[in-house]
Structure formats: C-alpha cells, structure tokens
C-alpha cells in the first residue's frame, strides 16, 4: 500500500471495520472536501477492484482527569464504486479549488470529492496510479512510485506540507531563517573595504559618544567647577575638550554617511539585478501562476528591505553591542551595586522582546501579501485600461481596487498598531531601570557615598544604554521583515527552471529544418492533456499548415517547438536531434515565431525590429519591414523608423503592431519560421500583400503556419487538423476536401459560405 500524504493510524482501523483490509488497499490519499465541496476529512482508498470514499470530521476531545486529548472521527458517509464500471479518473482544476471525478464506461461521470489546492498535488498523483489500477497495470501492493509522486521526496517530513518547488526541497514554514542571513552575508564580502571603513567610523562615533557625557557633565562638575579639582577654573580648556570631542563625532558621522551613500546604490543595484536575473532565467510555467505587480514588488521592495537590514542595521547593531558592553563595564567600575540594580531590567526587556518576534514576522508577511495583491491588481488594470474604458467598468474597478487597498491598509494598520503598543510597553521595562538609578543613586548622594557629578554621569550612561536597547527592539522588527524578504528572494533564486540546457548540448554547424513530432503528450497541468499522442513530420523547406477549432492545441504545438515548454511524453526532433539535446543558441538562432499576441518594447521602431538581430544594418531592417508590409506606414510617421512607440509615446494599431512583429521575425532570417495567426489582425488587402511577401520569404525555409482562415493555407505542402489535442486529419488541401463530413471539409465550407455572404471573393 502507498499513501499519498500523511494518513492517521485510526483511518486504517476504520477501513478494517468497513471490511476493507489494509493488505488489500493499494493506494490511499486524503482530501479536505466532500463531493458537494463542503469542508470535511475525506479519505480515498483503492483496491484492485473498488475505490472507497470515507467522509467525516476529526475532532479532538479532552480525556478524563486531564490526561490529554483523544482523537475521535465522526463519520458522515461511506461509499464505494466498482472499478470495472470506471474508464478513468481525473482531477479537474477550478478557480481556487479542484475536484476528483470518475468517468464511467456508460458515458456518465461521478464526482468523488472536492479539495482545496493544498491537497491537489497528492490527489493528482493518486489519480495517476488509480488510472493504472483501472488499466490493469497495477495489481499488487508491490509497485514502484515515480520520485516526483512520492510524498517523501516532495513533502516536508516535519509538517507534511508539499514543497512549492520540487527541485528545491525547502519548506517555507519550517526553513531556518538564520541560514538565509548567513548565506546572504557572504555576498557582501565584495564590499568588505567599504564596510570596514563604516565599522571603524561607527567605532569612533561610539567612543566619542561615550566621552561626551563624561567631559560635559560629571568631569566638568567635579574637576572644573569644584574647588580642588584637577582642572579647577580651567573652563576654556574643558570647553575645548568638549568641542574637540564633538568635532570628532561629527567628522566620524560625515565619513560614515559618505561611505553609506556610496555603497547603498551599489548594493541595491546588485540586489535588483540578482532578483531580476533569477526571475528572467525561469521557465514559462513560473510566470503562468504569478502576476506582474507581485514580481515588481519583489524586485523593488525586497531589495530595499534587505539592504536596509544589512547596511543600516547590522553595522549599528554590532557597534551598539560594543557600546553597551563598554558602558556596562564603566557603570560597574563606578558603582557595582547601583549598576546591578539599574541593569536588572535588561534581561527582562529581552525576554519580553523575544515574544514579539513571531507576531511581528507574521504581521510583516500579511502586510507584504496585501501590498503585493494591490500592486498586482494595479498593474493588471493599468495594462488593460482600454478594456476597462470600452466596457465602462471604472466603478467596478474602483470597488475592486478599494477592496485590495483596504486589505493592504488593514495589514499596515495591524502592524503599526502592534509596533505602537508592543514596543513602547516593552520599552517601559527599561525606563524602570532609570527610575532605580535615580532613586537609589540620589539616596547614595545624600549619604555621601556618591558625588553629584558621579550621579549625573552614571544616569547619563544608563540612558545611553537604553538607546541601543530600543535599537535592538527595532532590529527584531527589521529582522522579521528582512527574513521574509530573503525567503522570497531565495525561493526565486534557487528555483530550478523547468526548461534547462544539457551540459553536453549539441550545437550543429548547420540546421536544415526537418521537424518531427513523435507521440508527443503535453499538459499545462498534470491533470489535463492539451496535446495527446501527436505525431507528424515536415521536411526542410516545406510548409506545414495547422488548423483546428479554438483551444484545440495549435499554439501549444508552436510553444513546444521553441521549448517554451517541454513535452511530458514522446519527443520533438529537428534534423533528427531531440530539441532537448540542442543548445539554446542553436535552437533560438534558427527558429523565429510570430505570435497572435504581439508585444513591442518601449523604444523606437528601429530598435523593436532590430531586437531579433541587433547587428542588422538599416538596409536589412527596411527590407524586413517591406516584406512585412510595414515600410509604407512607418515612413508616414513623423520620425519614420526613429519614431518612439510604447507607453507615453506613439500608439500603433493592432495591425501595425503585428506587421512590426512580423518584420522582427523576418530580420532573423531563420531556418524554421512559425506563423501563429500572424495575419489575424489585418484586413484582407493587407493580408494578401503580406502573404505574397511571405511566399517569397519562406522559400527554402521550413514554415509552420497556424491559421483560422483556411484559404491562406491552400498552398501548404501538408495540412494537419488538430481536434481535442489529437491529429484528426492530415494531407494536402485537396486531399482533405475530399473527405466528406471531415473536420477540414466542414470548416472550409462554412468559411467559404460566410465570405460569399459578405461579398468577399478569394
């Protein structure tokens, strides 16, 4: 038997009571919802011939005489289904949850249970092996589980939580924050010279700060103003000493400020580069589940938090520790008894301060989550402001933003309130030490055991200790914030990209352009296949047309060729070499894609076209633009090819943007050209101009054309029809039209009639 996730021992006993032997159970998992998506404890077990669902609620009850807590399971339902009637099971993803469904051989479906995303990973693995049991591939408990499905390999052994990244076996809940700080500290060694100067200047500041009260208070009163003192009457000399000490203090402060300002920009610069570089190396799967605003928050806010802690916090923290130690020694030299009584509040202060650390860390994480959600929504709305205006949804978006803004403000408010009542309350403990020094010290002065000047100096030093103590309290707050930032930083930095280049990757001297799919399977999630056992081949220099209904998987095929994603099963080959074995440089230099989703960067049109080939000459850019049908409209712009486009500059229509995107691909002059609905945003006249230009351009190049308008694919050497992720039909245009009732024949007939009714002839 194999359990996906932690299963309590009492569960096996309940199944035994139901007549299901533990020896007969092959796989078992846990979900946290029933079939109606009500929260409960659902245990799903599968034997060789049946699947069982046990639903209930686990409650903890106190035992008699205070002997602890006992676990009691209250059963809600128990059901079983014969596997002979089930064809397959599948985990279907919903917006914020998922459900496990069984599809019967008679065409009906059974909803077995629901689940939150917390249980989805184990449920997907469970469904995978349940399908193997249904297919007869697993008949006994002695079967091997793939490492990617083994909870021991993918879940934290301490808390059972699934690792966010299976390639980085670190649990965010149980990870040791101290190791993150040690790891990042080593990165600061490149600034060791500047940091040493900072520490030295802080040492001078500390020494000058300790000497100032001594010369300006106790020493001045007892030795300058008191008759018989060592410098009695020499006021100018004593004032000069005080002034010199202050000048030394200011000079050290200026040096420290200069060095801090000098390295601040460098460290923040390196930090942002580090985070951005880590984000940029990741695969498309990473970006599919994250919003732009959240990533921007990490690049900007987290880098500032980390810099602030290590450069503004740690040096002062070290110096303050030295200052406190020196001051404590001085106080005990002056009066051991009074020093012990005055400083007794410091251990109590730190005990109380330690108890604020965990609440502070949680409040910082909650505040960050609120700010990230607000920034994500802001970036989302601003990016789609045209749609918002078009549908007059300003009020609705205002309400949405108000809600996220309220959550962010509430998180900030809770943190501020906590800081305003927790730390002052803890600080009052220190203030009691000052009261003790004044009360008992004053009594000693009255008895003659202590001079007035000594008492003034003593209380000044006691108050100087309190300032670092309050700084230490802020360090706890700072530590919590920086710890969260470091955790988010290294979660990204250590994430292993799904798409990686092999160490021994092949770099052919020349790529001809043969493309072949061999039994390729792919799904953006494990629970749903988008491409199912697809096989086809296109020879170098030929044109392949891919057609099919929306959502059939056409664009996914293009994404797999250029390795935006890797297939789950099967292989994709270029000139007989698996694309996974090719070097990135060989792959990307020989493939260009024009997607239906165009994107142009902020900059000139010239720079946008040259993005594919930065070393291209101006004549090459013009040629590419002419091939794409973009040259004429570019020349009508005020600055021609130097016209700046993007936010705050010249705006282009969808068709114009698409033509620049095509020119960018043309400039690369690839061996393999992928046109994914490349002319979808253009009128018929412009489309014909571009098609004529592309017909010349594609000579000698392997071209894969994805289009809804089938008339544009009539001259393709081969056509494949994708339906529900499979190759339903393949052949030439004429061959597919001969298939009566076929998908291609039906689509072509419907489009021809629609164009005829619109008065358009082709």
């Amino acid at each position: 038997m194999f359990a996906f996730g932690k299963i309590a021992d009492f569960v096996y006993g309940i199944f035994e009571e139901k007549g299901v032997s533990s020896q007969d159970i092959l796989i078992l998992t846990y979900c946290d919802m029933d079939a109606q998506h009500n929260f409960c404890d659902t245990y799903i077990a599968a034997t060789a011939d049946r699947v069982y669902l046990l639903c209930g609620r686990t409650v903890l009850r106190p035992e008699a005489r205070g002997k602890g807590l006992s676990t009691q399971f209250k059963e809600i339902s128990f059901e079983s289904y014969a596997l002979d009637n089930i064809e397959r099971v599948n985990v279907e993803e919903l917006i914020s949850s998922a459900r496990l469904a069984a599809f019967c051989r008679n065409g009906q479906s059974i909803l077995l249970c629901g689940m939150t995303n917390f249980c989805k990973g184990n449920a997907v693995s469970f469904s995978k092996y349940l399908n193997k049991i249904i297919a007869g591939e697993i008949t006994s408990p002695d079967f091997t589980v793939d490492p990617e499905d083994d909870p021991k390999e993918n879940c934290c052994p301490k808390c059972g939580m699934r690792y966010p990244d299976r390639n980085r076996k670190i649990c965010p809940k149980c990870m040791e924050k101290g190791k993150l700080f040690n790891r990042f500290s080593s990165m600061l060694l490149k600034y060791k010279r500047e940091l040493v100067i900072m520490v030295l200047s802080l040492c001078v500041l500390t020494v000058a700060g300790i000497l100032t009260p001594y010369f300006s208070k106790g020493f001045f009163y007892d030795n300058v103003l008191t008759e018989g003192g060592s410098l009695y009457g020499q006021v100018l000399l004593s004032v000069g000493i005080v002034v010199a000490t202050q000048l030394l203090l200011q000079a050290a402060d200026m040096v420290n400020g200069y060095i801090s300002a000098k390295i601040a920009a460098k460290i923040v610069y390196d930090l942002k580069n580090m985070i951005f570089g880590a984000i940029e190396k990741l695969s498309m799967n990473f970006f599919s589940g994250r919003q732009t605003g959240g990533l921007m928050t990490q690049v900007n806010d987290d880098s500032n938090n980390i810099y602030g802690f290590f450069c503004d916090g740690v040096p002062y923290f070290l110096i303050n520790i030295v200052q406190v130690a020196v001051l404590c020694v001085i106080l005990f030299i002056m009066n051991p008894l009074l020093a012990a009584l005055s400083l007794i509040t410091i251990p109590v202060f730190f005990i109380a301060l330690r108890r604020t650390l965990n609440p502070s860390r949680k409040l910082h994480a909650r505040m960050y989550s609120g700010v990230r959600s607000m920034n994500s929504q802001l970036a989302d709305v601003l990016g789609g402001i045209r749609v918002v205006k078009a549908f007059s949804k300003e009020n609705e978006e205002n309400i949405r933003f108000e809600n996220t803004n309220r959550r962010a403000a509430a998180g900030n408010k809770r943190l501020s309130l906590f800081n305003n009542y927790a730390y002052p309350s803890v600080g009052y403990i220190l203030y009691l030490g000052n009261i003790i020094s004044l009360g008992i010290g004053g009594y000693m002065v009255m008895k003659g055991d202590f001079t007035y000047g000594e008492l003034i100096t003593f209380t000044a030093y006691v108050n100087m200790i309190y300032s670092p103590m309050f700084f230490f309290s802020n360090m706890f707050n700072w530590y919590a914030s920086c710890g969260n930032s470091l955790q988010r930083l290294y979660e990204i930095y250590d994430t292993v990209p799904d798409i990686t280049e092999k160490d021994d990757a092949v770099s052919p001297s020349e790529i001809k352009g043969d493309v072949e799919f061999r039994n390729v399977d792919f799904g953006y999630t494990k629970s749903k296949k988008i491409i199912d056992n697809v096989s086809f081949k296109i020879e170098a220099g030929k044109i392949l047309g891919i057609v099919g209904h929306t959502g059939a998987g056409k664009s996914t095929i293009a994404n797999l060729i250029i390795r935006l994603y890797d297939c789950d099963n099967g292989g994709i080959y270029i000139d007989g070499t698996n694309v996974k074995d090719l070097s990135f440089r060989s792959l990307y230099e020989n493939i260009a894609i024009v997607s239906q989703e165009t994107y142009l960067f902020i900059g000139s049109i010239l720079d946008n076209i040259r993005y594919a080939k930065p070393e291209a000459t101006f004549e090459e850019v013009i040629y590419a633009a002419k091939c794409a049908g973009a040259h004429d409209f570019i020349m009508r712009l005020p600055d021609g090819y130097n016209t700046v486009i993007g936010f705050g500059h010249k705006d282009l229509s969808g068709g114009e943007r698409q033509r620049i995107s095509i020119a960018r691909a043309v400039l690369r002059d690839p061996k393999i050209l992928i046109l994914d609905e490349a002319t979808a945003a253009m009128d018929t006249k412009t489309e014909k101009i571009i098609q004529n230009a592309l017909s010349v351009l594609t000579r000698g190049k392997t071209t894969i054309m994805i289009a809804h308008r089938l008339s544009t694919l009539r001259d393709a050497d081969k056509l494949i029809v994708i339906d529900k992720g499979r190759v339903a039909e393949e052949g030439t245009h004429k061959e597919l039209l001969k298939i009566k009732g076929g998908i291609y024949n039906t689509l072509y007939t419907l489009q021809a009639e629609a164009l005829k009714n619109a008065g358009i002839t082709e």
Side-chain angles (χ1 to χ4, degrees):
M1 178 184 61
F2 194 89
F4 295 96
K6 284 190 174 182
I7 306 295
D9 293 336
F10 70 84
V11 175
Y12 301 101
I14 296 176
F15 276 110
E16 292 279 356
E17 294 174 1
K18 299 292 183 181
V20 184
S21 173
S22 298
Q23 296 179 351
D24 295 333
I25 297 176
L26 300 178
I27 54 176
L28 178 66
T29 193
Y30 165 83
C31 292
D32 49 12
M33 289 181 176
D34 61 13
Q36 288 73 40
H37 282 257
N38 297 316
F39 284 100
C40 68
D41 298 317
T42 301
Y43 298 94
I44 313 172
T47 62
D49 56 357
R50 300 191 72 84
V51 60
Y52 300 90
L53 282 89
L54 173 65
C55 297
R57 288 187 175 88
T58 305
V59 295
L60 298 176
R61 295 187 178 277
E63 293 186 353
R65 299 179 182 177
K67 293 184 178 180
L69 298 173
S70 62
T71 302
Q72 184 176 357
F73 184 80
K74 288 188 174 182
E75 182 181 324
I76 298 176
S77 64
F78 181 79
E79 299 175 350
S80 69
Y81 301 93
L83 294 182
D84 292 341
N85 299 324
I86 298 176
E87 183 178 4
R88 61 185 174 86
V89 294
N90 192 30
V91 175
E92 300 176 342
E93 295 191 34
L94 305 176
I95 294 177
S96 58
S97 59
R99 60 187 182 187
L100 181 64
F103 299 91
C104 301
R105 301 185 189 279
N106 60 7
Q108 296 181 346
S109 61
I110 303 171
L111 182 59
L112 299 177
C113 69
M115 70 203 74
T116 63
N117 289 331
F118 179 79
C119 300
K120 185 174 66 177
N122 287 333
V124 169
S125 299
F126 176 85
S127 65
K128 173 181 174 180
Y129 291 91
L130 182 54
N131 284 325
K132 290 186 177 182
I133 294 174
I134 295 172
E137 299 176 18
I138 297 176
T139 56
S140 67
D142 301 326
F143 65 93
T144 303
V145 177
D146 296 337
E148 64 179 13
D149 300 314
D150 191 346
K152 294 179 181 178
E153 298 292 330
N154 298 288
C155 296
C156 174
K158 186 175 181 180
C159 67
M161 180 179 176
R162 203 171 183 89
Y163 295 127
D165 179 10
R166 68 176 182 224
N167 296 318
R168 181 177 180 261
K169 302 186 186 308
I170 295 179
C171 175
K173 183 178 178 181
C174 304
M175 69 188 304
E176 297 180 28
K177 297 289 196 316
K179 291 183 178 180
L180 297 179
F181 285 89
N182 293 335
R183 181 179 176 185
F184 186 80
S185 298
S186 61
M187 296 179 59
L188 297 177
L189 293 178
K190 62 185 294 187
Y191 306 104
K192 56 185 177 182
R193 186 180 65 180
E194 290 87 349
L195 291 175
V196 167
I197 297 175
M198 275 184 63
V199 172
L200 291 176
S201 63
L202 289 173
C203 290
V204 175
L205 279 171
T206 302
V207 172
I210 293 174
L211 292 176
T212 298
Y214 175 72
F215 286 122
S216 61
K217 293 182 180 179
F219 178 84
F220 187 75
Y221 183 82
D222 289 340
N223 295 280
V224 179
L225 300 181
T226 302
E227 188 174 351
S230 58
L231 296 177
Y232 176 69
Q234 300 185 35
V235 177
L236 290 178
L237 177 61
S238 61
V239 170
I241 294 174
V242 173
V243 171
T245 306
Q246 286 293 330
L247 288 175
L248 179 64
L249 188 69
Q250 291 298 323
D253 191 36
M254 290 174 64
V255 171
N256 178 69
Y258 173 78
I259 297 297
S260 299
K262 185 178 179 181
I263 68 170
K266 291 182 180 179
I267 294 179
V268 173
Y269 169 82
D270 287 344
L271 270 172
K272 290 183 178 181
N273 276 346
M274 175 184 175
I275 299 174
F276 181 77
I279 291 174
E280 200 175 33
K281 74 177 182 180
L282 299 176
S283 307
M284 287 299 297
N285 275 332
F286 173 84
F287 299 97
S288 300
R290 287 168 173 81
Q291 292 179 297
T292 303
L295 294 175
M296 289 175 63
T297 302
Q298 286 190 248
V299 173
N300 292 316
D301 293 357
D302 284 348
S303 58
N304 290 328
N305 283 341
I306 295 170
Y307 163 78
F309 177 80
F310 280 95
C311 295
D312 289 341
V314 173
Y316 284 98
F317 177 75
L318 298 175
I319 293 303
N320 280 326
I321 288 179
V322 175
Q323 178 177 324
V324 169
V326 171
L327 289 173
C328 287
V329 171
I330 293 174
L331 290 177
F332 275 98
I333 291 174
M334 293 180 67
N335 193 308
L337 177 61
L338 186 57
L341 294 174
S342 300
L343 302 178
I344 197 172
T345 57
I346 292 180
V348 181
F349 168 79
F350 277 109
I351 293 173
L353 196 61
R354 178 65 181 83
R355 297 179 66 88
T356 67
L357 181 59
N358 286 334
S360 178
R361 183 184 293 124
K362 292 177 181 178
L363 289 172
H364 271 96
R366 188 176 301 175
M367 182 193 71
Y368 176 86
S369 177
V371 172
R372 182 178 59 185
S373 298
M374 182 186 70
N375 289 342
S376 297
Q377 185 183 343
L378 184 61
D380 190 35
V381 172
L382 293 179
I385 193 66
R386 181 174 297 177
V387 178
V388 175
K389 293 289 185 182
F391 287 91
S392 187
K393 293 295 182 181
E394 292 88 348
N395 290 335
E396 287 81 353
E397 293 300 335
N398 282 336
I399 293 172
R400 284 183 60 206
F401 182 77
E402 183 180 349
N403 291 334
T404 55
N405 190 20
R406 185 184 297 113
R407 286 195 292 270
N412 192 20
K413 175 184 175 182
R414 283 191 288 266
L415 179 61
S416 298
L417 288 175
F418 178 82
N419 292 339
N420 285 327
Y421 74 75
Y423 296 120
S425 299
V426 174
Y428 189 76
I429 298 174
L430 287 179
Y431 184 67
L432 293 176
N434 190 41
I435 295 175
I436 292 173
S437 64
L438 285 174
I440 298 178
Y443 178 73
M444 289 181 175
V445 172
M446 293 172 61
K447 288 182 61 179
D449 297 334
F450 218 36
T451 67
Y452 179 66
E454 289 174 334
L455 178 60
I456 293 175
T457 304
F458 189 92
T459 54
Y461 284 150
V462 169
N463 286 321
M464 285 183 67
I465 289 179
Y466 294 160
S467 179
M469 293 299 113
F470 284 114
F471 179 82
F472 294 152
S473 70
N474 289 331
M475 278 295 293
F476 275 89
N477 194 24
W478 225 338
Y479 176 85
S481 177
C482 183
N484 289 330
S485 295
L486 282 173
Q487 178 180 330
R488 290 187 291 268
L489 166 65
Y490 283 114
E491 279 178 2
I492 292 177
Y493 190 78
D494 294 337
T495 298
V496 178
D498 298 327
I499 312 299
T500 56
E501 183 181 78
K502 288 187 175 181
D503 295 333
D504 56 347
V506 179
S507 298
S509 57
E510 182 183 2
I511 286 183
K512 297 178 181 178
D514 291 330
V515 178
E516 182 180 3
F517 273 53
R518 299 179 189 172
N519 308 113
V520 173
D521 292 339
F522 173 75
Y524 293 104
T525 61
K526 289 185 179 180
S527 59
K528 185 178 180 181
K529 282 186 179 181
I530 303 298
I531 299 297
D532 188 5
N533 196 32
V534 169
S535 296
F536 63 84
K537 185 176 182 180
I538 180 69
E539 296 177 357
K542 301 294 185 180
I543 298 176
L544 172 70
I546 303 178
V547 300
H549 296 288
T550 301
K554 304 184 299 298
S555 296
T556 301
I557 290 176
N559 292 336
L560 291 174
I561 295 174
I562 60 175
R563 288 198 75 191
L564 290 182
Y565 302 91
D566 273 343
C567 58
D568 299 327
N569 295 304
I572 302 169
Y573 298 84
I574 295 178
D575 293 349
T577 304
N578 195 314
V579 293
K580 295 180 181 180
D581 297 328
L582 289 172
S583 66
F584 284 156
R585 183 172 182 179
S586 298
L587 185 66
Y588 296 135
E589 283 186 350
N590 289 279
I591 298 178
I593 183 170
V594 180
S595 174
Q596 54 189 324
E597 300 174 1
T598 61
Y599 184 81
L600 301 180
F601 297 94
I602 297 176
S604 68
I605 292 177
L606 181 65
D607 291 336
N608 269 278
I609 297 177
R610 271 184 177 160
Y611 192 77
K613 187 179 178 182
E615 71 279 6
T617 64
F618 188 62
E619 289 73 20
E620 290 176 318
V621 173
I622 293 177
Y623 173 76
K626 287 181 177 180
C627 289
H631 178 72
D632 291 339
F633 87 79
I634 293 175
M635 295 307 297
R636 289 195 296 268
L637 296 174
D639 298 319
Y641 282 85
N642 293 318
T643 301
V644 178
I645 57 178
F647 180 76
H649 301 283
K650 177 66 178 178
D651 194 16
L652 302 179
S653 67
E656 291 170 340
R657 296 167 65 87
Q658 188 74 302
R659 278 179 271 179
I660 292 177
S661 179
I662 293 173
R664 190 160 55 193
V666 170
L667 184 64
R668 173 165 282 187
D669 192 25
K671 295 291 185 180
I672 301 172
L673 180 64
I674 302 173
L675 303 174
D676 184 4
E677 299 287 352
T679 58
M682 300 175 191
D683 58 82
T684 306
K685 180 180 179 181
T686 305
E687 183 181 21
K688 286 187 175 182
I689 295 173
I690 295 177
Q691 290 294 342
N692 292 333
L694 290 177
S695 64
V696 177
L697 177 70
T698 55
R699 290 175 186 171
K701 294 181 176 62
T702 304
T703 306
I704 298 174
M705 300 180 67
I706 301 171
H708 278 107
R709 194 175 299 177
L710 304 186
S711 59
T712 62
L713 302 175
R714 284 179 297 191
D715 298 328
D717 298 293
K718 183 179 181 180
L719 293 171
I720 61 172
V721 180
I722 304 296
D723 183 48
K724 297 179 181 178
R726 292 175 174 267
V727 177
E729 300 171 3
E730 60 179 309
T732 63
H733 171 72
K734 292 181 179 180
E735 291 172 347
L736 294 179
L737 282 180
K738 292 179 181 179
I739 303 175
K740 300 298 182 182
I743 298 174
Y744 185 83
N745 184 298
T746 303
L747 289 174
Y748 189 85
T749 302
L750 290 174
Q751 285 192 13
E753 290 178 356
L755 292 172
K756 183 178 180 181
N757 293 333
I760 300 174
T761 58
E762 294 187 301

